[in-house]
Amino acid sequence: MILVAFAAEPVGVDIEQIASSQAVEQARDALHPAERQELDMFPEARRPRVFTDIWTRKEAYLKMLGSGLLRDTRLDRVGTGRPGSTGVTGAELTSVPVPSGYAAALCVAVPA
């Protein structure tokens, strides 16, 4: 799968296959502390999907910033997309519909 976006403002996108439960446990420390708490609120069976939603939002945001994964992934709270789950300002994060088994997100800078 590939996802491409073009915009007049800085933009980032990401698409990922839904993570395995094992991958979630191995990578959860890369999330912002509030994102880890939010992830823990979901039943274990839903966590791979929720984690992947958070991760695609995080990568889309970091790509929009221009840093990608060079920036500490624990610094920014992008959340799951549920109301109040993000701490990001100056950008609009949106989940993108993709085929089953994948998650994707788009992040566009909001002009000041």
Side-chain angles (χ1 to χ4, degrees), residues 54-74:
I54 295 169
W55 193 256
T56 57
R57 293 169 58 81
K58 187 170 294 288
E59 281 208 47
Y61 176 71
L62 295 175
K63 289 173 184 177
M64 182 274 308
L65 289 178
S67 65
L69 293 174
L70 293 176
R71 181 176 170 90
D72 186 344
T73 58
R74 298 169 293 186

Side-chain angles (χ1 to χ4, degrees), residues 40-61:
D40 290 343
M41 293 179 357
F42 287 88
E44 197 169 320
R46 290 210 42 222
R47 289 181 191 165
R49 174 61 201 217
V50 173
F51 173 85
T52 309
D53 286 339
I54 295 169
W55 193 256
T56 57
R57 293 169 58 81
K58 187 170 294 288
E59 281 208 47
Y61 176 71

